[in-house]
């Protein structure tokens, strides 16, 4: 260790109380984190790229500083989707400090990692007060049945009004309008569940489509039902 001449001449003054780091909540315990290995928890982070044309939601399940599970969800950029495939291979097995300093290919994914890192090291994880945290695999619960991300896609113009294209329930096939041409409900397909019925359970495609089609709101009362992508 090198010291400047000024410091070298100083008189030693004894240090008083040593408080250490403030404890943070981690998986049902209060932890004074001093090393990366002290950090555990499951949490989410959202990032965006420099031109802000896309966004990433990153979910990591961390045990003793190591990323054991990663879920990478992207929106709005085809390049980001391919970057996510690489990031999903890169992340598991790394410490959160390694991951923070790793090029995750896409600005949005890197930003999500930064935001998530800040949350997890300050004890702001989703599992902060859950005893022993969440099991590996818990990240999939965000996707629900059919293991498909929940996406909302709406489009509108001043001259023609709104079009619901995709809701949390699924792909919107028709929107229902009342006598004033206002939206009162919609019909949707649970795409993930439908494909699971066809590819895993061997259900006839027409039957699977019927089983996985539902409605929301007062769709049955609609005076007019339109295809939001065509009409």
């Amino acid at each position: 260790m090198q010291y400047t001449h000024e410091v070298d001449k100083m008189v030693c003054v004894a240090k008083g109380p040593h408080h250490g780091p403030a404890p943070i909540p981690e998986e049902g315990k209060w932890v004074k984190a001093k090393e990366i290995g002290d950090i555990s928890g499951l949490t989410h982070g959202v990032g965006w790229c420099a031109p802000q044309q896309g966004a990433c939601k990153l979910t990591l399940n961390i045990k003793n500083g190591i990323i054991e599970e990663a879920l990478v969800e992207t929106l709005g950029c085809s390049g980001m989707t391919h970057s996510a495939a690489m990031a999903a291979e890169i992340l598991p097995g790394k410490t959160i400090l390694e991951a923070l300093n790793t090029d995750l290919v896409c600005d949005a994914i890197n930003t999500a990692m930064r935001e998530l890192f800040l949350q997890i090291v300050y004890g702001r994880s989703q599992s902060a007060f859950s005893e022993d945290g969440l099991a590996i695999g818990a990240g999939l619960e965000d996707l629900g049945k059919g293991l498909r991300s929940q996406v909302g896609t709406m489009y509108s113009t001043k001259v023609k009004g709104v079009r619901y294209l995709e809701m949390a329930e699924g792909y919107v096939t028709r929107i229902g309008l009342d006598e004033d041409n206002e939206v009162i409900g919609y019909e949707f397909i649970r795409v993930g569940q439908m494909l699971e019925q066809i590819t895993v359970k061997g259900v006839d495609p027409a039957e699977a489509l019927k089983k996985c089609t539902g409605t929301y709101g007062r769709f049955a009362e609609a005076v007019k039902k339109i295809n939001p992508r065509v009409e």
Side-chain angles (χ1 to χ4, degrees), residues 38-50:
D38 296 330
I39 303 296
S40 295
L42 181 143
T43 196
H44 316 278
V46 175
W48 53 95
C49 59

Side-chain angles (χ1 to χ4, degrees), residues 6-209:
E6 289 78 10
V7 171
D8 201 37
K9 288 172 53 181
M10 290 180 179
V11 174
C12 288
V13 177
K15 186 176 183 178
H18 178 66
H19 295 288
I24 61 174
E26 284 189 21
E27 301 190 339
K29 298 177 292 185
W30 289 95
V31 176
K32 289 190 173 184
K34 298 181 181 180
E35 307 289 341
I36 289 296
D38 296 330
I39 303 296
S40 295
L42 181 143
T43 196
H44 316 278
V46 175
W48 53 95
C49 59
Q52 299 189 27
Q53 71 184 62
C56 168
K57 176 189 173 188
L58 179 63
T59 302
L60 298 181
N61 198 348
I62 298 156
K63 302 293 184 184
N64 301 316
I66 304 293
I67 297 170
E68 298 287 349
E69 176 186 14
L71 171 64
V72 190
E73 299 174 85
T74 63
L75 175 71
C77 175
S78 57
M80 188 192 304
T81 301
H82 289 83
S83 299
M86 298 175 70
E89 291 193 48
I90 292 169
L91 286 166
K94 284 185 176 289
T95 70
I96 54 173
L97 184 58
E98 284 181 292
L100 181 67
N101 290 287
T102 297
D103 181 6
L104 298 175
V105 190
C106 167
D107 280 351
I109 304 174
N110 284 317
T111 302
M113 183 65 225
R114 181 194 70 198
E115 297 299 310
L116 188 151
F117 182 89
L118 291 173
Q119 292 174 33
I120 202 78
V121 298
Y122 286 130
R124 301 297 193 270
S125 68
Q126 303 297 309
S127 57
F129 299 101
S130 301
E131 188 172 354
D132 296 325
L134 297 175
I136 308 305
L140 291 178
E141 294 178 8
D142 271 9
L143 302 180
K145 294 181 179 179
L147 300 183
R148 185 177 169 89
S149 294
Q150 297 183 61
V151 179
T153 308
M154 314 299 152
Y155 177 75
S156 64
T157 61
K158 179 181 177 182
V159 66
K160 296 294 183 178
V162 72
R163 298 294 187 274
Y164 297 174
L165 301 176
E166 187 146 359
M167 299 291 250
E169 296 91 346
Y171 181 95
V172 177
T173 52
R174 291 188 293 171
I175 56 178
L177 309 178
D178 62 13
E179 58 274 7
D180 297 319
N181 280 341
E182 293 184 358
V183 179
I184 59 172
Y186 52 88
E187 177 186 70
F188 59 86
I189 300 171
R190 300 181 186 90
V191 177
Q193 291 184 48
M194 181 183 72
L195 293 175
E196 187 178 298
Q197 292 274 327
I198 297 169
T199 61
V200 179
K201 299 181 179 178
V203 176
D204 178 76
E207 178 63 22
L209 176 62

